[in-house]
Amino acid sequence: MSPELRQQILDELARLNDERAEFAPLLSELGNRDPNGIELRALGGMLHSVYTGIEGILKHLLMELDGSIPSSAGWHAELLTQAAQGTENRGPLISDDLLMRLRELMAFRHRYRNTYGFELSWKRMKPLTFTVFDTVTIFERQLNAFFSDLDTV
């Protein structure tokens, strides 16, 4: 993997952690109450941003490692599947558990992009909201393990 791509990925992971820091106070406060409409929209934007960042990392990695990424209408879902599968040149980038978590975030992002903010459902968002940064941590650990494996080859 090129040093430039590795740095780009590390920078993107830092931005995901900046997102965590920005939303930590609101997430802490929400342990005791439901968000108002503006907070709900902000949280939706946060979930959207986090998934988009993760997807961008996977796109760049898979393009460099595999030489291509899916281009069909369902490429977003196929990208996750590609990341979870090993090839003759590399092992899986993400585990099956992380694949499931990312599919849930991807589905939310699709809803978020195709609905009005007032139509967002806290009941549906709440589980994702309170696990999204655990998902980022798992993603970061799995990428670091993958990088370590690359470095030892």
Side-chain angles (χ1 to χ4, degrees):
M1 172 184 329
S2 72
E4 296 82 17
L5 178 59
R6 187 175 291 216
Q7 188 58 54
Q8 182 182 357
I9 291 167
L10 292 173
D11 291 346
E12 188 65 32
L13 288 170
R15 285 191 288 277
L16 288 169
N17 284 306
D18 289 345
E19 191 83 349
R20 177 193 328 244
E22 187 167 319
F23 277 89
L26 177 57
L27 293 173
S28 177
E29 185 180 320
L30 287 178
N32 304 317
R33 66 173 179 81
D34 290 348
N36 64 38
I38 293 188
E39 291 168 334
L40 191 65
R41 289 175 175 156
L43 292 166
M46 182 254 319
L47 292 171
H48 177 280
S49 294
V50 167
Y51 180 76
T52 299
I54 289 172
E55 184 180 74
I57 289 170
L58 292 174
K59 272 179 26 183
H60 293 297
L61 268 173
L62 291 171
M63 192 61 170
E64 179 158 325
L65 297 171
D66 295 356
S68 66
I69 57 173
S71 60
S72 68
W75 75 267
H76 297 281
E78 292 171 18
L79 183 83
L80 293 178
T81 300
Q82 182 178 345
Q85 296 172 340
T87 68
E88 62 184 43
N89 298 321
R90 65 162 177 84
L93 296 176
I94 59 173
S95 67
D96 290 340
D97 176 61
L98 183 55
L99 172 65
M100 299 309 294
R101 286 172 173 258
L102 294 176
R103 281 183 176 159
E104 289 177 26
L105 278 171
M106 180 186 62
F108 173 79
R109 185 183 67 174
H110 179 77
R111 283 192 305 276
Y112 180 81
R113 286 181 168 183
N114 293 288
T115 191
Y116 288 102
F118 66 84
E119 295 176 314
L120 293 172
S121 165
W122 178 236
K123 182 179 177 184
R124 292 178 76 181
M125 285 176 57
K126 188 175 182 179
L128 287 174
T129 300
F130 285 109
T131 60
V132 69
F133 291 115
D134 291 337
T135 301
V136 171
T137 299
I138 293 166
F139 179 68
E140 190 169 10
R141 280 189 202 134
Q142 290 183 15
L143 281 185
N144 285 330
F146 182 81
F147 292 159
S148 291
D149 289 346
L150 279 180
D151 292 341
T152 59
V153 172

